[in-house]
Amino acid sequence: EAAVTQSPRNKVTVTGGNVTLSCRQTNSHNYMYWYRQDTGHGLRLIHYSYGAGNLQIGDVPDGYKATRTTQEDFFLLLELASPSQTSLYFCASRLGSQNTLYFGAGTRLSVL
Amino acid sequence: GEQVEQRPPHLSVREGDSAVITCTYTDPNSYYFFWYKQEPGASLQLLMKVFSSTEINEGQGFTVLLNKKDKRLSLNLTAAHPGDSAAYFCAVSSTGNTRKLIFGLGTTLQVQP
């Protein structure tokens, strides 16, 4: 079973705060993704990467940066958090030759 | 780009009844289709992966139908039980090297005893 680990599981910050969400996968997957999940919007793709040092823009990238430091690690950065970024964030990974996404447990972020 | 519409957004059935969730998509070149299940407070778990070459796929207690002509994907839970209560999401794989998954908005299914 593919393993995707997110940290922290819960985070509270204030408007204008600096937040980093972490994701690690030990599946040797090359693709990694950051999604946000909001009621009424489903899952929306923020950023994704197909390897260390690579970054691709998703569908809702505004206000987010991401960095893929290694094959295993993908970080989502909110440098000036806003209340609109209060959401449930999921990281996912997949092998390049496969289409199945494996999801982490999620990080619930509240921006006050 | 690809658009995926999922219906209904909420569904309540009694134990033993069937439940049908449907997704329609726009890209005729879509090739891979997925159903994910998300239990309350949990992550998304893959329920079934469907290739465009197969129209009927059966799992444990459910059937997935793919109608490529109508660009419609459906999940049919036969004899639903309370453990099936969850949110269900369809996802369609876009074409191209990135193969992004486009998700439906989800269906919250409640199975009452």
Side-chain angles (χ1 to χ4, degrees):
Chain A
E1 179 72 19
V4 182
T5 304
Q6 291 183 236
S7 63
R9 293 296 313 277
N10 292 280
K11 176 72 177 178
V12 180
T13 190
V14 295
T15 300
N18 194 322
V19 177
T20 299
L21 306 185
S22 302
C23 178
R24 164 164 280 218
Q25 55 90 9
T26 55
N27 311 309
S28 299
H29 287 175
N30 41 349
Y31 282 86
M32 294 185 75
Y33 302 80
W34 278 107
Y35 286 89
R36 61 178 288 175
Q37 184 180 32
D38 304 284
T39 304
H41 292 280
L43 281 96
R44 293 182 289 176
L45 180 63
I46 305 170
H47 290 299
Y48 63 103
S49 165
Y50 55 73
N54 175 265
L55 180 64
Q56 302 293 317
I57 295 172
D59 300 321
V60 289
D62 292 347
Y64 301 96
K65 292 184 179 179
T67 181
R68 181 88 176 270
T69 54
T70 65
Q71 177 85 340
E72 294 79 19
D73 297 301
F74 195 30
F75 300 93
L76 186 67
L77 296 81
L78 292 73
E79 294 183 333
L80 285 171
S82 72
S84 65
Q85 294 175 307
T86 293
S87 187
L88 180 58
Y89 290 87
F90 285 105
C91 175
S93 73
R94 72 170 176 92
L95 193 59
S97 59
Q98 304 289 325
N99 283 273
T100 303
L101 284 185
Y102 295 91
F103 285 85
T107 294
R108 187 166 293 282
L109 174 66
S110 296
V111 183
L112 306 178
Chain B
E2 173 80 273
Q3 308 239 351
V4 177
E5 184 173 338
Q6 185 171 342
R7 289 279 185 266
H10 303 282
L11 183 58
S12 180
V13 301
R14 292 201 176 276
E15 185 172 7
D17 288 349
S18 64
V20 180
I21 303 169
T22 301
C23 288
T24 55
Y25 58 95
T26 56
D27 186 350
N29 296 316
S30 297
Y31 194 77
Y32 295 101
F33 306 86
F34 303 80
W35 284 103
Y36 282 88
K37 177 182 180 181
Q38 185 181 29
E39 296 182 351
S43 187
L44 287 86
Q45 299 294 325
L46 181 67
L47 200 59
M48 180 167 277
K49 174 182 177 180
V50 177
F51 296 96
S52 67
S53 57
T54 306
E55 294 186 338
I56 301 175
N57 293 267
E58 294 187 353
Q60 197 164 5
F62 61 89
T63 302
V64 172
L65 301 177
L66 176 62
N67 183 324
K68 291 170 60 181
K69 175 176 174 290
D70 294 340
K71 296 195 284 295
R72 180 180 296 118
L73 177 74
S74 64
L75 172 67
N76 187 337
L77 284 81
T78 53
H81 56 86
D84 292 327
S85 296
Y88 292 83
F89 294 88
C90 65
V92 179
S93 179
S94 65
T95 55
N97 291 332
T98 60
R99 297 184 190 169
K100 288 194 301 180
L101 281 192
I102 310 299
F103 285 84
L105 294 187
T107 296
T108 302
L109 172 66
Q110 187 173 17
V111 182
Q112 299 178 351

Coordinates of all heavy atoms in Angstrom, one line a residue, chain B residues 41-102:
Chain B
G41 N -13.9 12.6 8.0 CA -12.7 12.9 8.7 C -11.5 12.1 8.2 O -10.4 12.2 8.7
A42 N -11.7 11.4 7.1 CA -10.6 10.6 6.5 C -10.1 11.1 5.2 O -10.7 12.0 4.6 CB -11.0 9.1 6.5
S43 N -9.1 10.4 4.7 CA -8.6 10.7 3.3 C -9.4 10.0 2.3 O -10.3 9.3 2.5 CB -7.1 10.3 3.3 OG -6.6 10.8 2.1
L44 N -9.0 10.2 1.0 CA -9.7 9.6 -0.1 C -9.0 8.2 -0.4 O -7.8 8.1 -0.5 CB -9.6 10.4 -1.4 CG -10.4 11.7 -1.4 CD1 -9.7 12.8 -0.7 CD2 -10.8 12.0 -2.8
Q45 N -9.9 7.2 -0.5 CA -9.4 5.9 -0.8 C -9.9 5.4 -2.1 O -11.1 5.7 -2.4 CB -9.9 4.9 0.3 CG -9.4 5.2 1.7 CD -8.0 5.0 1.9 OE1 -7.3 4.2 1.3 NE2 -7.3 5.9 2.7
L46 N -9.1 4.9 -2.9 CA -9.5 4.4 -4.2 C -10.5 3.3 -4.1 O -10.2 2.3 -3.5 CB -8.2 3.9 -5.0 CG -8.5 3.4 -6.4 CD1 -9.0 4.6 -7.3 CD2 -7.3 2.8 -7.0
L47 N -11.6 3.4 -4.8 CA -12.6 2.4 -4.8 C -12.5 1.5 -6.0 O -12.5 0.3 -5.9 CB -14.0 3.1 -4.8 CG -15.2 2.3 -4.3 CD1 -15.1 1.8 -2.9 CD2 -16.5 3.1 -4.4
M48 N -12.3 2.2 -7.2 CA -12.1 1.4 -8.4 C -11.5 2.3 -9.5 O -11.8 3.5 -9.5 CB -13.5 0.9 -8.9 CG -13.4 0.1 -10.2 SD -14.8 -0.8 -10.6 CE -14.5 -2.3 -9.6
K49 N -10.7 1.7 -10.3 CA -10.1 2.4 -11.4 C -10.7 1.7 -12.7 O -10.7 0.5 -12.8 CB -8.6 2.2 -11.4 CG -7.8 2.7 -12.5 CD -6.3 2.5 -12.3 CE -5.5 2.9 -13.5 NZ -4.0 2.6 -13.2
V50 N -11.1 2.5 -13.6 CA -11.8 1.9 -14.8 C -11.0 2.4 -16.0 O -10.7 3.6 -16.2 CB -13.2 2.4 -14.9 CG1 -13.9 1.9 -16.1 CG2 -14.0 1.9 -13.6
F51 N -10.8 1.5 -16.9 CA -10.2 1.9 -18.2 C -11.3 2.0 -19.2 O -12.3 1.4 -19.1 CB -9.2 0.8 -18.7 CG -8.0 0.6 -17.8 CD1 -8.1 -0.4 -16.8 CD2 -6.9 1.4 -17.9 CE1 -7.0 -0.6 -16.0 CE2 -5.8 1.2 -17.1 CZ -5.9 0.2 -16.1
S52 N -11.0 2.9 -20.2 CA -12.1 3.2 -21.2 C -12.4 2.0 -22.0 O -13.5 2.0 -22.7 CB -11.6 4.3 -22.1 OG -10.6 3.9 -22.9
S53 N -11.6 1.0 -22.0 CA -11.9 -0.2 -22.9 C -12.9 -1.1 -22.2 O -13.4 -2.0 -22.9 CB -10.6 -1.0 -23.1 OG -10.0 -1.4 -21.9
T54 N -13.3 -0.9 -21.0 CA -14.2 -1.8 -20.3 C -15.4 -1.0 -19.8 O -15.2 0.0 -19.1 CB -13.5 -2.5 -19.0 OG1 -12.3 -3.1 -19.5 CG2 -14.4 -3.5 -18.4
E55 N -16.6 -1.5 -20.1 CA -17.8 -0.7 -19.8 C -18.4 -1.1 -18.5 O -19.1 -0.3 -17.9 CB -18.8 -0.9 -21.0 CG -18.3 -0.3 -22.3 CD -19.4 -0.4 -23.4 OE1 -20.3 -1.2 -23.2 OE2 -19.3 0.4 -24.3
I56 N -18.2 -2.3 -18.1 CA -18.8 -2.7 -16.8 C -17.7 -3.3 -15.9 O -16.9 -4.2 -16.3 CB -19.9 -3.8 -17.0 CG1 -21.0 -3.3 -17.9 CG2 -20.4 -4.3 -15.7 CD1 -22.0 -4.3 -18.3
N57 N -17.6 -2.8 -14.7 CA -16.6 -3.2 -13.8 C -17.3 -3.5 -12.5 O -18.1 -2.7 -12.0 CB -15.5 -2.2 -13.6 CG -14.7 -2.0 -14.8 OD1 -13.6 -2.6 -15.0 ND2 -15.1 -1.1 -15.7
E58 N -17.1 -4.7 -11.9 CA -17.8 -5.0 -10.7 C -16.8 -5.1 -9.5 O -15.7 -5.6 -9.6 CB -18.4 -6.4 -10.8 CG -19.6 -6.3 -11.8 CD -20.4 -7.6 -11.8 OE1 -20.0 -8.6 -11.2 OE2 -21.4 -7.7 -12.5
G59 N -17.2 -4.5 -8.4 CA -16.4 -4.6 -7.2 C -17.2 -5.3 -6.1 O -18.2 -5.9 -6.4
Q60 N -16.8 -5.1 -4.9 CA -17.5 -5.8 -3.8 C -18.7 -5.0 -3.3 O -18.5 -4.0 -2.6 CB -16.5 -6.0 -2.6 CG -17.0 -7.0 -1.6 CD -15.9 -7.5 -0.7 OE1 -14.8 -6.9 -0.7 NE2 -16.2 -8.4 0.2
G61 N -19.9 -5.4 -3.8 CA -21.1 -4.6 -3.5 C -21.4 -3.4 -4.3 O -22.3 -2.7 -4.0
F62 N -20.6 -3.3 -5.4 CA -21.0 -2.2 -6.3 C -20.5 -2.5 -7.8 O -19.7 -3.4 -8.0 CB -20.3 -0.9 -5.9 CG -18.8 -0.9 -5.8 CD1 -18.0 -0.6 -6.9 CD2 -18.1 -1.4 -4.7 CE1 -16.6 -0.7 -6.9 CE2 -16.7 -1.4 -4.6 CZ -16.0 -1.1 -5.8
T63 N -21.1 -1.7 -8.7 CA -20.8 -1.9 -10.1 C -20.5 -0.5 -10.7 O -21.2 0.5 -10.3 CB -22.0 -2.5 -10.8 OG1 -22.3 -3.8 -10.3 CG2 -21.7 -2.7 -12.3
V64 N -19.5 -0.4 -11.5 CA -19.2 0.8 -12.2 C -19.5 0.6 -13.7 O -19.1 -0.3 -14.3 CB -17.8 1.2 -12.0 CG1 -17.4 2.4 -12.9 CG2 -17.5 1.6 -10.5
L65 N -20.3 1.6 -14.2 CA -20.7 1.5 -15.6 C -20.1 2.7 -16.3 O -20.1 3.8 -15.9 CB -22.2 1.5 -15.8 CG -23.0 0.4 -15.2 CD1 -24.5 0.6 -15.4 CD2 -22.5 -0.9 -15.7
L66 N -19.5 2.5 -17.5 CA -18.9 3.5 -18.3 C -19.6 3.5 -19.7 O -19.6 2.5 -20.4 CB -17.4 3.3 -18.5 CG -16.7 4.3 -19.5 CD1 -16.8 5.7 -18.9 CD2 -15.3 3.9 -19.7
N67 N -20.3 4.7 -20.0 CA -20.9 4.8 -21.3 C -20.1 5.9 -22.1 O -20.3 7.1 -21.8 CB -22.4 5.3 -21.1 CG -23.1 5.4 -22.4 OD1 -22.6 5.8 -23.4 ND2 -24.4 5.1 -22.4
K68 N -19.2 5.4 -22.9 CA -18.4 6.4 -23.6 C -19.1 7.2 -24.6 O -18.8 8.4 -24.9 CB -17.2 5.6 -24.3 CG -16.2 5.0 -23.3 CD -15.3 4.1 -24.0 CE -14.5 4.8 -25.1 NZ -13.5 3.8 -25.7
K69 N -20.2 6.7 -25.2 CA -20.9 7.4 -26.2 C -21.6 8.7 -25.5 O -21.5 9.7 -26.1 CB -22.0 6.5 -26.8 CG -23.0 7.2 -27.7 CD -23.9 6.2 -28.3 CE -25.0 6.9 -29.2 NZ -25.9 7.7 -28.3
D70 N -22.1 8.5 -24.3 CA -22.8 9.5 -23.6 C -21.8 10.3 -22.7 O -22.2 11.2 -22.0 CB -24.0 9.0 -22.8 CG -25.1 8.5 -23.7 OD1 -25.1 8.9 -24.9 OD2 -25.9 7.7 -23.2
K71 N -20.6 9.8 -22.6 CA -19.6 10.4 -21.7 C -20.1 10.4 -20.3 O -20.1 11.4 -19.6 CB -19.1 11.7 -22.2 CG -18.4 11.7 -23.5 CD -17.6 12.9 -23.9 CE -18.5 14.1 -24.3 NZ -19.2 13.8 -25.6
R72 N -20.5 9.2 -19.8 CA -21.2 9.1 -18.5 C -20.5 7.9 -17.8 O -20.4 6.9 -18.3 CB -22.7 8.9 -18.6 CG -23.4 8.8 -17.3 CD -24.9 8.6 -17.4 NE -25.5 9.8 -18.0 CZ -26.1 9.7 -19.2 NH1 -26.2 8.6 -19.8 NH2 -26.7 10.8 -19.7
L73 N -20.2 8.2 -16.5 CA -19.7 7.2 -15.6 C -20.6 7.1 -14.4 O -21.0 8.1 -13.8 CB -18.3 7.7 -15.2 CG -17.5 6.8 -14.1 CD1 -17.0 5.5 -14.8 CD2 -16.4 7.6 -13.5
S74 N -21.0 5.9 -14.0 CA -21.9 5.8 -12.9 C -21.4 4.7 -11.9 O -20.7 3.8 -12.3 CB -23.3 5.4 -13.3 OG -23.3 4.2 -13.9
L75 N -21.7 5.0 -10.6 CA -21.4 4.0 -9.5 C -22.7 3.6 -9.0 O -23.5 4.4 -8.5 CB -20.5 4.7 -8.5 CG -20.3 4.0 -7.2 CD1 -19.4 2.8 -7.4 CD2 -19.6 4.9 -6.1
N76 N -22.9 2.3 -9.0 CA -24.1 1.7 -8.5 C -23.8 0.8 -7.3 O -23.2 -0.2 -7.4 CB -24.8 0.9 -9.6 CG -26.2 0.4 -9.2 OD1 -26.5 0.3 -8.0 ND2 -27.0 0.2 -10.2
L77 N -24.2 1.3 -6.1 CA -24.1 0.5 -4.9 C -25.3 -0.4 -4.7 O -26.4 0.1 -4.6 CB -23.9 1.3 -3.7 CG -22.5 2.0 -3.5 CD1 -22.4 3.2 -4.3 CD2 -22.2 2.3 -2.0
T78 N -25.1 -1.7 -4.8 CA -26.2 -2.6 -4.6 C -26.4 -3.0 -3.2 O -25.4 -3.2 -2.5 CB -26.0 -3.9 -5.5 OG1 -24.7 -4.4 -5.1 CG2 -26.0 -3.5 -6.9
A79 N -27.6 -2.9 -2.7 CA -27.9 -3.3 -1.3 C -26.9 -2.5 -0.3 O -26.1 -3.1 0.4 CB -27.7 -4.8 -1.1
A80 N -27.1 -1.2 -0.3 CA -26.3 -0.4 0.5 C -26.4 -0.7 2.0 O -27.5 -1.1 2.5 CB -26.6 1.1 0.3
H81 N -25.3 -0.5 2.7 CA -25.4 -0.7 4.2 C -24.7 0.5 4.9 O -24.0 1.3 4.2 CB -24.7 -2.0 4.6 CG -23.2 -2.1 4.1 ND1 -22.2 -1.6 4.8 CD2 -22.7 -2.7 3.0 CE1 -21.1 -1.8 4.2 NE2 -21.4 -2.5 3.1
P82 N -25.0 0.7 6.2 CA -24.5 1.9 6.8 C -23.0 2.2 6.6 O -22.6 3.3 6.6 CB -24.9 1.7 8.3 CG -26.1 0.8 8.2 CD -25.9 -0.1 7.0
G83 N -22.2 1.1 6.5 CA -20.8 1.3 6.3 C -20.5 2.0 5.0 O -19.3 2.4 4.7
D84 N -21.4 2.1 4.1 CA -21.2 2.8 2.8 C -21.4 4.3 2.9 O -21.1 5.0 2.0 CB -22.2 2.2 1.7 CG -21.9 0.8 1.3 OD1 -20.7 0.4 1.3 OD2 -22.9 0.1 1.0
S85 N -21.9 4.7 4.0 CA -22.1 6.2 4.3 C -20.7 6.9 4.2 O -19.8 6.6 4.9 CB -22.7 6.4 5.6 OG -24.0 5.9 5.7
A86 N -20.6 7.8 3.2 CA -19.3 8.5 2.9 C -19.6 9.5 1.8 O -20.7 9.6 1.3 CB -18.3 7.5 2.5
A87 N -18.5 10.2 1.5 CA -18.5 11.0 0.3 C -17.8 10.2 -0.8 O -16.8 9.6 -0.6 CB -17.8 12.3 0.5
Y88 N -18.4 10.3 -2.0 CA -17.9 9.6 -3.2 C -17.5 10.6 -4.2 O -18.3 11.6 -4.5 CB -18.9 8.6 -3.7 CG -19.1 7.5 -2.8 CD1 -20.0 7.6 -1.7 CD2 -18.4 6.3 -2.9 CE1 -20.2 6.5 -0.8 CE2 -18.6 5.2 -2.0 CZ -19.5 5.4 -1.0 OH -19.7 4.3 -0.1
F89 N -16.3 10.4 -4.8 CA -15.9 11.4 -5.8 C -15.5 10.6 -7.1 O -14.8 9.6 -7.0 CB -14.6 12.1 -5.4 CG -14.8 13.1 -4.2 CD1 -14.8 12.6 -2.9 CD2 -15.1 14.4 -4.5 CE1 -15.0 13.5 -1.9 CE2 -15.4 15.3 -3.4 CZ -15.3 14.8 -2.1
C90 N -15.9 11.0 -8.2 CA -15.4 10.5 -9.5 C -14.3 11.4 -9.9 O -14.2 12.5 -9.5 CB -16.5 10.5 -10.5 SG -17.1 12.1 -11.1
A91 N -13.4 10.8 -10.7 CA -12.3 11.6 -11.2 C -12.0 11.0 -12.6 O -12.1 9.8 -12.9 CB -11.0 11.4 -10.3
V92 N -11.6 11.9 -13.5 CA -11.3 11.6 -14.9 C -9.9 12.1 -15.2 O -9.5 13.2 -14.9 CB -12.4 12.3 -15.8 CG1 -12.1 11.9 -17.3 CG2 -13.8 11.8 -15.4
S93 N -9.2 11.2 -15.9 CA -7.8 11.5 -16.2 C -7.8 12.3 -17.6 O -8.3 11.8 -18.6 CB -7.0 10.2 -16.3 OG -5.7 10.5 -16.7
S94 N -7.2 13.5 -17.5 CA -7.1 14.2 -18.7 C -6.0 13.6 -19.6 O -5.2 12.9 -19.2 CB -6.8 15.7 -18.4 OG -5.5 15.8 -17.8
T95 N -6.0 14.0 -20.9 CA -5.0 13.5 -21.8 C -3.7 14.3 -21.6 O -3.7 15.3 -21.0 CB -5.5 13.7 -23.2 OG1 -5.9 15.0 -23.4 CG2 -6.7 12.8 -23.4
G96 N -2.7 13.8 -22.2 CA -1.4 14.5 -22.2 C -0.5 13.9 -21.2 O -0.8 13.0 -20.4
N97 N 0.7 14.4 -21.1 CA 1.7 13.7 -20.3 C 1.5 13.9 -18.8 O 1.9 13.1 -18.0 CB 3.1 14.3 -20.6 CG 3.6 13.9 -22.0 OD1 3.2 12.8 -22.4 ND2 4.4 14.7 -22.6
T98 N 0.8 15.0 -18.5 CA 0.7 15.3 -17.0 C -0.4 14.4 -16.4 O -0.4 14.1 -15.3 CB 0.3 16.8 -16.8 OG1 -0.9 17.1 -17.5 CG2 1.4 17.7 -17.3
R99 N -1.4 14.0 -17.3 CA -2.5 13.2 -16.8 C -3.1 13.7 -15.5 O -3.2 12.9 -14.6 CB -2.0 11.7 -16.7 CG -1.5 11.1 -17.9 CD -1.1 9.7 -17.7 NE -0.5 9.1 -18.9 CZ 0.1 8.0 -19.0 NH1 0.2 7.2 -17.9 NH2 0.7 7.6 -20.1
K100 N -3.4 14.9 -15.5 CA -4.1 15.4 -14.3 C -5.5 14.8 -14.1 O -6.1 14.5 -15.1 CB -4.3 16.9 -14.4 CG -3.0 17.8 -14.3 CD -3.3 19.2 -14.1 CE -4.1 19.8 -15.2 NZ -4.4 21.2 -15.0
L101 N -5.8 14.6 -12.9 CA -7.1 14.1 -12.6 C -8.1 15.3 -12.3 O -7.7 16.2 -11.6 CB -7.1 13.2 -11.3 CG -6.7 11.8 -11.4 CD1 -7.0 11.0 -10.2 CD2 -7.3 11.1 -12.6
I102 N -9.2 15.2 -13.0 CA -10.2 16.2 -12.8 C -11.3 15.6 -12.0 O -11.9 14.6 -12.4 CB -10.8 16.7 -14.1 CG1 -9.7 17.2 -15.1 CG2 -11.8 17.9 -13.8 CD1 -8.8 18.3 -14.5

